[in-house]
Amino acid sequence: MTENLKFAVIGGGSWATAITKMLCVNLSEVSWYMRNESAIEHIKLHKHNPNYLSSVEFDTQKLKLTSDINEAVAYADYIIFAIPSAFLNGELEKLTVSLKDKIIFSAIKGIVPETSLIVGEHFHFQYDIPYYNIGVITGPCHAEEVALERLSYLTIACGDAQKASIVAKNLSGNYIKTKITDDIIGTEYAAMLKNIYAIAAGIAHGLGYGDNFQAVLMSNAIREMKKFIKKVHKMKRNINDSAYLGDLLVTGYSLFSRNRTFGNMIGKGYTVKSAMMEMSMVSEGYYATNSAYKLNQGYGAKTPIIDAVYEILYKGKEAKTIFKELTEKLD
């Protein structure tokens, strides 16, 4: 009976807060793990997350809040991970409770640095979780717009259509529309790659390039994404679907995009370190750039945009020079 299934959300950031908000519409109880004990106490007293999406008010009677990841995992049948990929391994190392027989859904858009794997592959290879028990939650959807209850769309990917449908049903609402797909690997790589292209869009804006160039950059980015994903996992997919192109566009253009913001700062002359210190949230695309660049050394896809962002972020090359060179490679 799906009515008795229990859900847990792992993470205390904006996306975890948004997902918990969605689940609370449909479920009588949701387990919510976050490391920050003072944030938990604040939510219990004031009904909102003090650090992220503070406008969202929760019915605390529905929340099973905990700072013990083992408590959340033991409670749930379905576990949604929504923490930055750079911190995932550290959180998983705290586990003493088995993940066997749990259904894992990733709302993480990045690569696990320790293994250079997308999150689904990390759970499969490191924790022996079968792919039919792994899924992905992707956009196009910004947590900030969920908080504002603006109409948003989610794509739920899983090899098991029934499990995808269960998650889709429990995330759906008046302002959330969902669809399902079986392209777990493709959607997860797309969610990782679009953050790199959003950094590129931000750099271009910071350098003073206009809307005309941004349009060319984004149209080249979707073709580049298609080539990369095809090398990684060849299957029939429509790259123009919202899970791929739509997610790329919202991340590349939205003022809510932390990756675009990060890139904009780099384009304006900030160092990587200073840009990171000024931002209150993690730019997933920074870590994804290194991982994608290194992965592609084996795949050999033509990726001039990823290469350009890598040269700027990891080789310390001047953004102005690299982007002038990039303009000659785009069409």
Side-chain angles (χ1 to χ4, degrees), residues 105-324:
F105 271 76
S106 167
I108 302 169
K109 296 158 175 74
I111 291 247
V112 183
E114 291 83 357
T115 56
S116 293
L117 297 171
I118 53 174
V119 176
E121 291 176 335
H122 183 82
F123 278 110
H124 177 70
F125 290 113
Q126 301 296 118
Y127 292 88
D128 202 28
I129 297 171
Y131 277 122
Y132 58 77
N133 278 350
I134 297 172
V136 178
I137 300 168
T138 188
C141 186
H142 277 305
E144 291 81 0
E145 292 205 352
V146 173
L148 294 167
E149 299 192 358
R150 291 178 178 168
L151 182 61
S152 302
Y153 291 70
L154 292 174
T155 301
I156 315 300
C158 187
D160 185 326
Q162 184 183 11
K163 288 165 186 163
S165 296
I166 288 168
V167 173
K169 177 186 173 185
N170 284 292
L171 290 173
S172 296
N174 292 334
Y175 54 92
I176 301 291
K177 293 186 181 294
T178 58
K179 60 182 274 191
I180 67 170
T181 177
D182 61 353
D183 186 16
I184 319 169
I185 295 174
T187 52
E188 194 166 2
Y189 269 100
M192 179 267 284
L193 292 169
K194 54 100 179 189
N195 287 332
I196 304 171
Y197 300 128
I199 291 176
I203 293 172
H205 185 265
L207 289 170
Y209 287 92
D211 293 343
N212 294 339
F213 177 73
Q214 291 282 8
V216 172
L217 182 67
M218 288 294 102
S219 61
N220 277 263
I222 194 63
R223 294 201 300 271
E224 185 172 303
M225 179 189 284
K226 182 179 181 179
K227 291 173 187 172
F228 190 104
I229 297 174
K230 191 175 180 180
K231 290 277 188 181
V232 175
H233 184 237
K234 190 174 181 178
M235 70 171 280
K236 188 176 180 181
R237 63 174 63 85
N238 185 354
I239 204 72
N240 295 321
D241 278 354
S242 58
Y244 314 98
L245 177 58
D247 209 11
L248 169 66
L249 292 176
V250 75
T251 310
Y253 286 123
S254 176
L255 296 177
F256 289 128
S257 170
R258 68 194 72 170
N259 291 287
R260 180 187 165 91
T261 300
F262 176 71
N264 188 46
M265 293 169 77
I266 298 297
K268 288 184 180 297
Y270 283 72
T271 63
V272 168
K273 187 176 181 181
S274 61
M276 285 187 152
M277 286 176 67
E278 191 156 317
M279 289 183 68
S280 60
M281 294 186 287
V282 174
S283 168
E284 290 275 25
Y286 172 74
Y287 302 102
T289 299
N290 187 44
S291 298
Y293 180 85
K294 289 181 175 176
L295 279 171
N296 196 43
Q297 300 308 296
Y299 293 125
K302 190 178 179 184
T303 56
I305 302 173
I306 293 173
D307 297 348
V309 176
Y310 179 83
E311 290 283 314
I312 295 164
L313 298 186
Y314 287 89
K315 293 290 187 71
K317 301 285 183 68
E318 188 181 46
K320 186 177 180 181
T321 303
I322 295 298
F323 260 67
K324 191 172 188 311

